[in-house]
Amino acid sequence: MIRHFFTAFLVAMLLVVTNTTIVHAQPLPADIQDIKSKNVLVVGMTSFDNLPFYGTKDGEVIGLDAEIARKVAAIIGVPVKFRRDAATFQDVVDQVRRGETHIAISKLSITPPRLATVAFSEPYARLHQAVLVNRLWLSGNGDQRELSEVIRDLHGPIGFIRNTAYETFAKLNFPHAPSVPQDTWQQVLDNVMTGKTAVAYRDEFEIKRITIDRPESSITTKAVIITDSTDYIAAVVDPKSTQLLQIVNFVIKNDFNNIDVRKLVAMYKHMSQGTR
């Protein structure tokens, strides 16, 4: 009887080992296998810093987007490599589309044109769109109307960063406003503060950040939050990378599903100290 017991025990153990081997031997999805074979998750970001989403401190990439990337890489079991040579946000998207990076996490907005070529994750930040209005222009063009009406029916020149989501948003939301694209946000701000444009157009965090970095801006401009227009910030992957997208969505839902403008402002104040 003892012999039968040990025989049954050995058979049971063999089945456990066999089943375990089968589980571990199962092939990985193609997108994850590609990452595992190269032993690195390549993450695209712009060449310029954009705190609190991403920045550089002591030679290391820090910020919200970097945290998401590292958690995704940890689940896959590979190190992360940040590619930082994209000149614009659209360049970061195009790197994914061309297969040069596995994923882009670079404060990227979901837009209709981008949706046609790449896959977006669940948003990890939802921001209202906003404008910074030149006070002198407003005083001459308000016509006793409510401010919200003036902005909704904007006919004055609107500034934004070239090749960004806000170039698309401007065409959709302000079709009667002459477009004045600039290469940098600093140029956009200089134009609205000096009256060369009526408004500067971006998300509410960037508009609120101006009051931190340039408190004197309130003398010549007024911030207006557009509460019925949302800017969804999400990660980008190739449409064929379905398993990677599931991992990114899990990380966002589990750890980064409650990011609002107040948290971003607090993060920016903390992280901007000592960064370079």
Side-chain angles (χ1 to χ4, degrees), residues 16 29 78 86-87 93 102 132 154 177 189 250 263-264:
V16 169
V78 297
V93 175
H102 295 117
L132 196 66
L154 183 67
L189 292 177
F250 170 79
K263 289 186 177 180
L264 290 172

Side-chain angles (χ1 to χ4, degrees), residues 10-20:
L10 289 173
V11 170
M13 291 300 296
L14 180 61
L15 288 174
V16 169
V17 172
T18 303
N19 288 337
T20 302

